[in-house]
Structure formats: C-alpha cells, structure tokens
C-alpha cells in the first residue's frame, strides 16, 4: 500500500485513526495493540509471504533483547555480550541471505571462473530498516539502556507503518516512551491539521516534482548511455539528482505527518541537504537517522577519531563503504559509498587548511563543490552498472564531438531538453530558495499551534487540505502511481 493512493488516504488512514482513538477511550494498551495490528495489515498488503520473516525477526529479537537486558542487570556482562553476538549474527545473516547472497556468490563465481545460477530471491520489503532498527535495540540492551519490556510496544516500535518501508530508522528511546504518553492517545483536530500539512507537502513533492522530473531520467540511465552528448548527460544526472531529492523528501514529510496525526513525533530524517556547504554537513542533513546509526553503531565502535587522523580516515571510508552496500547489492553502491568516504576524508583535510577562514566566497564555493560531488555520486547510485555510470560521466565531461548544430548537440534527440531545463530550474529554485516544511512549522509537538488550529479557520484549512490531497492523488492515479525510490533500498 502506497501513501500516494486513494486506498491508503480514503480507507486505511481514516479507519486506522478512528479505531486508534476509539480504543484509546477505554484502554491505552488497547490503542497500541490496534495500531500494531493496523501496521501489520499495512505490511501484509504488500506481500503477505514476507510476514513470517518480519514476525519471526520481531519475536526472536524481543526475546534476545530481554535475555541480554536480564543478564546485564544481573552483572553477567560476558554472557550478555555473547547473546548480543548471537543476535547480531542472526540479524545480519538474514539480511545477507535475502539481499546479498546472489551478489556475493556471483562475484565468487567470477573469481574462481565457474558459472553460477542466481537464486533470484525476492527481497522482503523494509528488511534493511527493520533489521538496523533491531540491531540498535540489541546493542542498547547490552549497554543497559533499555527499560521498555512490553511486547506490544516493541512490536509497534518495529512495525509502525509510517516508517516501516523506507525509514526513518527508529531508536527505542525516542519512540517507545511516546507510545505510553496519554496525550498521544487523545484526538486533536489541530494535530490532524498539522499532520495533514506535512502529508500534503510531501504528496506535492512526490506527485508533482519527483514524478514530474523523473521522465528525463530513464532515457539517459536506461537507454542511451553509449553515445550521450554533454547536454544529455548533465540533463539526466541533474534530473535524477532532483528526482531522488524530492522523492525522499516527500516520503520523509508524509511519514512525519502521518505519525503526527497519531500524536507520535518521528525523528527528522531530511533537512534541505543540497543547501549544505560541505559533505560533512550533507550527511548531517541527508537520511539523518541512517547517518546517526552508522556513526553510533559502526564508526565509533571501529574507533572513531580516537587513534589519530590516519585511523580516523580509514574508519570513515569503511563506514561509508558499508553504508553504500546497505543500499543495495551492486558494485555501483559500493563505489558510491567509497566516493563519499573519499569526500569526507578530503573535507576533514580542507577543514584543517581553512581553519578560521569563513566568508561568502568560501561558503558559495563550498555549496557548489558539495553539490557537484553529490551529483557525481548519484550517477553511480542510479546507474545499472559501473560501465553505464562511467559512460554517463564521460558524456558529462565532454560527451560526443560537439558542434554548433542542433543535431550534434543532441537537442531533443532522446528527450525534450527545453522542458527538462524548465523542470530543473523550478526544482533548483524550490531547493535552494525556499525553506523546508520543518523550518516553517517547527519541530516536536506544536501544542500552541494545535490550539490555534482548533479554533478560527481550522475547519476551513482542514477542508482545503483534504481537497488538495484528493486532487494530488487524482493526478497520481491518472499518471499511474509510482513507488518511492527508497523502497528499493
């Protein structure tokens, strides 16, 4: 079930809200169970075949988390660590089997020179997100940080439908206490309106901007990599740069808004990353919860920056290589991660050289260089193979022999370049000149705003948002509903 469909917006969402707040009148735990069952139904709507994997993962991790916490509380730290290792191996084995088994054996077969028939395993949707979420939970159990032991709260923490498919990666200390707050279980029209503001903002980004610019991506990345002109190469690369930006921003806004309707605040996962002045800042703004997870559960355990600059840079590269591989079983993702590891090393080196220097020229140049580095990385991220990515980058660096004639420039050869440029200009203006929805509406619970929306023109705004959402959904259904890009990762 997609957020950008009538079946979700007109049936699943209102029914879930109704049942959740009705149950909360009689039992707080009952409303948690109701939301848990709704989240399970949301997941099963995609493909019920994968539900046993999700359910088995939840049950095993909850049991192991309890055991690790009990051993830690009893002072048996060695046994707790052993069970943590068992849990990590189990979770990573599940992820590797479904996501990387064919990739690993395929590369091994090339190495030894023997043919290999791929198994073609279907990837359970959301497996990367619910696996990382539960790994973090087990690590925190071993550190004695986990206090919540109710099975229904843990089940909801993992399956919560706004985040389950494409994030954000949740942390138990941010989410589980909210499930027990009585205020989260009381219906508020102001909260519903604020949630709809976030949801509608995301829906606009997805249906109008991301899906609108997407038509210029396929001709470059999927069809014509071999003989692209420079103009075509840059048009395709920038189109994907903005498609992915608005697609992921859309999902993040919609997930945040949906959760806010239930009185539960998700962590912010996307904060205008293309406005960053450095790659370091970019990773503090792009997929924020993944960056935090990689920092806390990989980079710091590897040693972080404790053992000198050389070890620090090695840890950065290893972290980003594994972060790239997390996105998919392809060498293109590994190269993308390695590029960002290299970018981060260069960024830290430049910080030492430019220490104390800051002016508008450095800031503008930093933003432009950061965007250029990100665009080059996205070419590998989107390309079907390393060879295709190299062909597109070659075109961007010069392409085929160019002359002043329109034919050799490739204008309108594989796409309507004029329309593409208009889309790119519009996307760039929104990206760099407009504030994001969190800067406009703020973060956290906005109780004062909720109270104001309970009165005055709140009802009219609610109606306008519902009408606008219905219009955007109609556009989406007319075009053919498209999945969010991060569903593939």
């Amino acid at each position: 079930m997609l957020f950008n469909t009538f079946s979700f917006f007109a049936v699943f969402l209102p029914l879930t809200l109704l049942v959740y707040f009705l149950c909360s009148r009689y039992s707080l735990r009952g409303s948690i169970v109701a939301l848990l069952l709704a989240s399970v139904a949301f997941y099963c709507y995609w493909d019920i075949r994968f539900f046993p994997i999700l359910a088995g993962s939840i049950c095993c991790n909850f049991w192991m988390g309890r055991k690790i916490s009990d051993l830690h509380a009893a002072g048996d730290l060695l046994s707790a660590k052993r069970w943590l290792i068992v849990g990590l191996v189990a979770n990573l084995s599940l992820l590797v089997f479904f996501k990387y088994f064919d990739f690993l054996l395929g590369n091994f077969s090339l190495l030894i020179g023997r043919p290999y028939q791929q198994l073609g395993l279907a990837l359970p949707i959301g497996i990367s997100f619910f696996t990382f979420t539960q790994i973090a939970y087990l690590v925190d159990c071993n550190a004695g940080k986990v206090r919540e032991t109710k099975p229904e709260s843990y089940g909801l923490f993992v399956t919560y439908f706004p985040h389950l498919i494409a994030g954000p990666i949740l942390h138990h200390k941010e989410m589980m206490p909210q499930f027990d707050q009585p205020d989260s279980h009381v219906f508020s029209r102001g909260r519903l309106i604020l949630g709809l503001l976030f949801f509608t903002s995301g829906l606009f980004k997805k249906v109008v901007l991301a899906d609108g610019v997407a038509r210029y991506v396929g001709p470059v990345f999927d069809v014509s990599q071999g003989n692209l002109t420079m103009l075509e190469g840059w048009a395709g690369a920038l189109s994907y740069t903005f498609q992915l930006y608005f697609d992921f921003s859309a999902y993040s806004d919609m997930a945040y808004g949906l959760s806010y309707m239930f009185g539960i605040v998700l962590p912010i996962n996307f904060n205008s990353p293309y406005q960053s002045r450095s790659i370091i800042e970019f990773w503090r703004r792009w997929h924020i919860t993944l960056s935090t997870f990689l920092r806390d559960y990989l980079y710091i355990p590897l040693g972080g920056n404790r053992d000198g600059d050389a070890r620090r840079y090695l840890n950065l590269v290893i972290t980003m290589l594994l972060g790239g591989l997390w996105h998919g079983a392809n060498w293109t993702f590994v190269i993308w991660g390695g590029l960002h590891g290299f970018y981060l090393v260069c960024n830290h080196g430049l910080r030492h050289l430019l220490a104390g220097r800051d002016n508008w020229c450095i800031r503008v140049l930093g933003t432009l260089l950061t965007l250029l580095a990100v665009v080059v990385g996205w070419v590998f991220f989107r390309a079907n193979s390393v060879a295709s990515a190299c062909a597109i980058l070659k075109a961007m660096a010069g392409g085929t022999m160019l002359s002043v004639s329109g034919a050799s420039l490739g204008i309108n050869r594989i796409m309507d370049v004029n329309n593409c440029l208009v889309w790119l200009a519009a996307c760039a203006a929104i990206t760099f000149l407009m504030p994001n929805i969190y800067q406009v509406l703020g973060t956290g619970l906005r109780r004062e705003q909720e109270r104001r929306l309970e009165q005055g023109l709140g009802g009219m705004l609610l109606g306008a948002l519902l009408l606008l959402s219905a219009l955007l959904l109609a556009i989406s259904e007319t075009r053919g509903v498209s999945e969010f890009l991060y569903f593939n990762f």
Side-chain angles (χ1 to χ4, degrees), residues 356-378:
R357 301 179 186 176
D358 185 25
N359 54 54
W360 70 268
C361 184
I362 290 176
R363 291 194 292 270
V364 171
L365 185 60
T367 301
L368 292 175
L369 288 176
T370 299
L371 183 61
L372 176 61
V374 168
V375 171
V376 171
W378 287 145

Side-chain angles (χ1 to χ4, degrees), residues 122-192:
L123 182 66
I125 193 165
I127 189 171
S128 297
F129 290 96
F130 69 70
T131 298
F132 271 31
T133 293
Q134 295 185 102
I135 284 176
Y137 177 79
L138 293 182
V139 172
D140 287 348
C141 285
N142 185 62
K145 298 178 181 178
V146 174
R147 300 290 181 266
E148 176 63 69
T149 58
K150 301 182 183 69
E152 65 272 24
S153 292
Y154 180 78
L156 179 58
F157 160 64
V158 177
T159 63
Y160 189 41
F161 77 89
H163 96 100
L164 178 60
I165 308 301
I169 297 172
L170 300 184
H171 198 281
H172 69 91
K173 70 179 180 182
E174 296 174 325
M175 300 304 299
M176 288 172 134
Q178 293 192 68
F179 298 153
D180 289 328
Q181 290 177 358
D183 184 57
S184 299
H185 299 258
V186 178
F187 175 76
S188 162
R189 189 176 70 174
R191 189 175 296 163
L192 176 64

Side-chain angles (χ1 to χ4, degrees), residues 92 95 99-100 132 290 293-294 297-299 302 314-328 333-338 341:
L92 292 174
L95 184 62
K99 194 167 184 177
Y100 304 106
F132 271 31
L290 175 62
F293 178 93
L294 292 174
Y297 299 100
L298 185 56
Y299 174 71
L302 283 172
L314 177 62
N315 292 337
L316 280 172
V317 172
I318 293 172
T319 300
M320 295 312 299
L321 283 170
L322 293 175
L325 190 60
W326 175 84
H327 285 84
F333 293 114
V334 177
I335 293 173
W336 173 79

Side-chain angles (χ1 to χ4, degrees), residues 39 168 171 201 222 246 277 295 308 315 353 374 393 406 410 425 437 439 452:
S39 298
H171 198 281
S201 168
D222 298 330
F246 285 112
R277 297 172 184 170
R295 181 197 67 198
N315 292 337
L353 292 175
V374 168
L393 289 173
I437 191 70
Q439 291 170 322
R452 288 200 298 267

Side-chain angles (χ1 to χ4, degrees), residues 104-121:
L104 294 173
L105 286 188
N107 282 280
F108 180 72
S109 69
L110 288 175
L111 189 63
I112 64 175
R114 291 191 176 184
Y116 165 66
Q117 182 65 41
Q118 289 193 347
L119 297 181
L121 295 169

Side-chain angles (χ1 to χ4, degrees), residues 386-422:
V386 175
S388 295
C390 290
I392 294 168
L393 289 173
K394 181 180 178 181
M396 293 166 65
T400 58
M401 295 299 293
L402 301 181
S403 72
V404 295
S405 68
S408 63
L409 282 172
I411 294 176
N412 298 335
R413 190 170 64 95
I414 63 173
M415 66 173 73
D416 188 334
V417 174
N418 291 332
N419 279 345
C420 180
L421 293 177
V422 171

